[in-house]
Amino acid sequence: MGRKLLTEHINVPGIDTFEVYRKHGGYRSVEKALKTMTPDEVVEEVKKSGLRGRGGAGFPTGMKWSFLAKPEGVPRHLVCNADESEPGTFKDRELMSKLPHLLVEGMITSSYALGANTSYIYIRGELLYVLRILEKAIAEAYANGFLGKNILGSGYDLDLHVHPGGGAYICGEETALLESLEGKRGNPRNKPPFPAVQGLYARPTVVNNVESIAAVVPIVNDGGEEYAKIGVGRSTGTKLISACGHVRKPGIYEIELGVPVEEFIYSDEYCGGIWKGRDLKAVVAGGSSVPILPKELILKTAAGENRLMTYESLSDGGFVTGTMLGSGGFIAMDETTCIVRNTWNFSRFYHHESCGQCSPCREGTGWLEKVLHRLEHGHGHMHDIDLLVSVAKQIEGNTICPLGEAAAWPVAAAVRHFRHEFEWHVTHAKQAAQPGAVYPAQGVLV
């Protein structure tokens, strides 16, 4: 059983209240940071930990913090990105609803490190029930002297606010989030300037994911070097994985980075294998925006080594034979899955969620959905398969934000690894268009 740094107490009755959370060691990191450490020392501990952003990009958190501009007399801000919208990802929602004080504690400690006196949690608009839970936790923190003026007599002041978004996936992109937080349409900004220089209200701003900020708590409590001892190489610490799809035990698992993918899928400690005794066909390892991999490449690298749940191992081979850890949205697909139908479903989502600001994304996501619809419903042609690859290439790298890549990568990977299925949808169009039809080499028509 791996160590649990974030979820150890998640099932303790009443852990969402200040009193119970405090009894289980809550807010120790705030006390330690404010009473015994300087802001720069907190930043240094986060650097030592090797913590990488848990929202998908995997950029070193301490390094990101060190980029924050500090012009004299200009306020700084920390913004928590709680706009969890990636299909297949649901870990942050669980963390906020069951352990709201962990996020609040992480926000206080992180804000102190960054010299921010006003911080925000930007939460997905559909999660209003979670917003209420966070508001209650924040009120309790204020009432007990952990927010507001002169926290713990340290002279440090912090006000923390929760702001609901309008339900747009694009607002998970940090600059679109800042636009929305300012009351504007959630369109991504051109960079530079980067948020670390001109972010919220044109002030220096750091935007971090819920899990990243929560991880600051054990890092400060135990020290960055202790945290770095967990994991493999540059993939340090623990990671929350949202496991769903055709597994026996879907749910949220906190793993030590470095667990073999095969163990994660088949061991009773984690997913418990593929449901109904079926065979694994493919996996989307990091949320819908990362490349899909067939069974043989998700369990082992192209070189024949065991694939591990780390940033480096999952990306081994690049996009030709690898994928990304991303947000940890782990979607397993059994032999009855139609890859064309699944890819079309993802493309429908990205077409709907494109903000429309960039022509390649606005038009390209529509083309991807339209062509995949043709193939899935028996009206496709062989040249449509290459058209999908061509459109994906023309989107990639030509947009202001990464939503274009998020739409293009899954389609390109699906064609790369399952081209035979796309061709079958053309050569057996009438059969493939039937509800529940599956490529026969990977199962039966159900």
Side-chain angles (χ1 to χ4, degrees):
M1 182 69 72
R3 280 165 284 189
K4 304 290 186 287
L5 301 183
L6 303 183
T7 61
E8 181 183 2
H9 304 301
I10 198 166
N11 293 317
V12 172
I15 197 66
D16 60 323
T17 66
F18 178 88
E19 183 180 2
V20 176
Y21 181 73
R22 188 82 168 115
K23 285 180 180 177
H24 286 81
Y27 291 99
R28 283 193 299 118
S29 74
V30 177
E31 292 177 314
K32 181 178 179 180
L34 269 61
K35 292 181 179 180
T36 70
M37 303 173 73
T38 65
D40 287 344
E41 286 173 340
V42 178
V43 174
E44 192 58 34
E45 289 302 317
V46 175
K47 282 184 177 179
K48 288 179 185 176
S49 74
L51 175 68
R52 296 169 68 169
R54 303 306 199 213
F59 191 82
T61 304
M63 186 181 296
K64 185 175 185 178
W65 286 11
S66 69
F67 293 156
L68 185 68
K70 298 178 180 178
E72 189 174 345
V74 179
R76 297 165 230 152
H77 299 291
L78 171 64
V79 178
C80 174
N81 185 346
D83 191 58
E84 184 176 52
S85 313
E86 182 91 345
T89 308
F90 44 91
K91 61 184 176 64
D92 293 342
R93 175 182 64 184
E94 186 84 350
L95 207 58
M96 290 186 290
S97 62
K98 292 188 176 179
L99 284 167
H101 282 282
L102 178 65
L103 177 58
V104 174
E105 180 179 0
M107 287 295 293
I108 299 168
T109 305
S110 302
S111 296
Y112 171 72
L114 297 167
N117 298 111
T118 305
S119 294
Y120 300 87
I121 299 172
Y122 182 97
I123 191 168
R124 183 165 170 75
E126 288 85 346
L127 299 180
L128 283 178
Y129 77 98
V130 181
L131 180 143
R132 305 298 179 217
I133 293 171
L134 286 173
E135 287 182 330
K136 178 175 178 289
I138 289 170
E140 289 180 326
Y142 270 107
N144 287 275
F146 282 91
L147 282 171
K149 301 290 185 182
N150 193 24
I151 299 171
L152 303 180
S154 65
Y156 174 66
D157 305 334
L158 176 64
D159 286 312
L160 181 58
H161 307 279
V162 187
H163 182 89
Y169 172 77
I170 191 64
C171 288
E173 195 278 332
E174 62 179 10
T175 61
L177 184 157
L178 295 176
E179 288 286 288
S180 177
L181 194 53
E182 291 178 3
K184 305 170 191 172
R185 178 182 173 89
N187 280 356
R189 301 172 180 173
N190 280 306
K191 292 180 282 189
F194 292 91
V197 178
Q198 289 185 27
L200 186 65
Y201 307 122
R203 298 166 178 168
T205 304
V206 167
V207 182
N208 279 137
N209 170 261
V210 171
E211 186 185 348
S212 307
I213 292 172
V216 172
V217 174
I219 288 170
V220 172
N221 282 338
D222 304 327
E225 291 180 356
E226 285 301 311
Y227 187 89
K229 291 177 182 177
I230 304 170
V232 177
R234 291 174 53 241
S235 295
T236 63
T238 65
K239 177 80 181 76
L240 297 180
I241 305 294
S242 312
C244 62
H246 298 145
V247 291
R248 288 199 176 99
K249 294 165 56 183
I252 297 164
Y253 297 96
E254 184 175 4
I255 66 167
E256 292 186 17
L257 286 169
V259 171
V261 174
E262 188 168 7
E263 179 183 338
F264 181 72
I265 295 174
Y266 291 102
S267 75
D268 290 334
E269 182 180 349
Y270 300 115
C271 297
I274 306 303
W275 74 336
K276 300 183 180 181
R278 292 173 178 167
D279 190 25
L280 176 67
K281 179 176 184 177
V283 165
V284 173
S288 63
S289 62
V290 310
I292 188 172
L293 286 183
K295 176 182 178 179
E296 60 272 17
L297 286 177
I298 192 63
L299 298 182
K300 293 187 181 295
T301 67
E305 298 176 352
N306 287 335
R307 187 84 73 174
L308 307 179
M309 296 288 278
T310 66
Y311 294 94
E312 291 77 25
S313 182
L314 284 169
S315 64
D316 184 270
F319 281 1
V320 176
T321 59
T323 183
M324 299 167 65
L325 180 60
S327 61
F330 195 93
I331 310 171
M333 305 174 194
D334 72 13
E335 59 200 11
T336 66
T337 302
C338 173
I339 299 298
V340 176
R341 188 181 310 124
N342 181 79
T343 308
W344 170 54
N345 199 36
F346 282 169
S347 291
R348 289 167 60 201
F349 172 81
Y350 288 109
H351 181 209
H352 180 269
E353 294 295 338
S354 172
C355 75
Q357 186 177 191
C358 305
S359 298
C361 182
R362 181 184 65 247
E363 303 300 327
T365 54
W367 271 99
L368 292 177
E369 180 190 351
K370 186 184 297 183
V371 174
L372 284 162
H373 180 276
R374 277 207 302 260
L375 289 163
E376 171 60 20
H377 292 84
H379 309 297
H381 306 279
M382 279 297 180
H383 62 77
D384 283 336
I385 303 172
D386 289 327
L387 179 59
L388 286 173
V389 177
S390 174
V391 172
K393 284 182 178 178
Q394 292 177 70
I395 297 174
E396 187 178 351
N398 293 312
T399 55
I400 291 174
C401 86
L403 189 142
E405 279 89 352
W409 290 342
V411 174
V415 174
R416 183 183 307 119
H417 298 299
F418 297 95
R419 189 181 184 97
H420 51 281
E421 286 204 30
F422 287 84
E423 292 175 349
W424 182 75
H425 272 68
V426 176
T427 58
H428 296 74
K430 186 176 292 187
Q431 189 179 10
Q434 296 301 310
V438 181
Y439 179 69
Q442 284 291 131
V444 295
L445 296 177
V446 293

